[in-house]
Amino acid sequence: MSQLPTRCTRKWAIKAAEAKKNILCEKPIGINFAEAMSIIEAAERNNVFLMEAFMYRCHPQTKKLIEC
């Protein structure tokens, strides 16, 4: 899997949403607020999961930190 430049994120994220595919979007999700919102709205319109890829969110160390 290759990484796309940030300027391509919006185009392909919206295409994925329209294809009813869940989206794990590399950060940043957009280059500005309007771009980010267009991706979010496409995901909502197509009822698909959208998450920005923060590596620490699902990291085992984060779970341990929450348990403390």
Side-chain angles (χ1 to χ4, degrees), residues 14-15 17-18 24-25 28 32 37 41 45-46 48 51-53 56-57 59 61 65:
I14 291 173
K15 283 183 179 277
E18 290 170 346
L24 178 60
C25 191
N32 57 40
M37 285 308 298
E41 289 165 358
R45 216 176 20 255
N46 291 283
V48 297
M51 180 176 163
E52 193 170 41
Y56 62 83
R57 181 157 188 135
H59 197 282
Q61 289 178 343
L65 188 67

Side-chain angles (χ1 to χ4, degrees), residues 42-67:
E44 289 174 345
R45 216 176 20 255
N46 291 283
N47 196 33
V48 297
F49 179 80
L50 169 66
M51 180 176 163
E52 193 170 41
F54 288 108
M55 71 84 153
Y56 62 83
R57 181 157 188 135
C58 302
H59 197 282
Q61 289 178 343
T62 303
K63 183 179 178 185
K64 283 196 172 281
L65 188 67
I66 292 170
E67 291 172 353

Side-chain angles (χ1 to χ4, degrees), residues 1-28:
M1 185 166 141
S2 63
Q3 289 186 327
L4 295 171
T6 302
R7 69 184 186 286
C8 297
T9 301
R10 179 181 177 275
K11 172 185 172 182
W12 291 106
I14 291 173
K15 283 183 179 277
E18 290 170 346
K20 307 295 186 205
K21 302 290 183 184
N22 295 319
I23 305 162
L24 178 60
C25 191
E26 184 59 61
K27 63 183 189 325

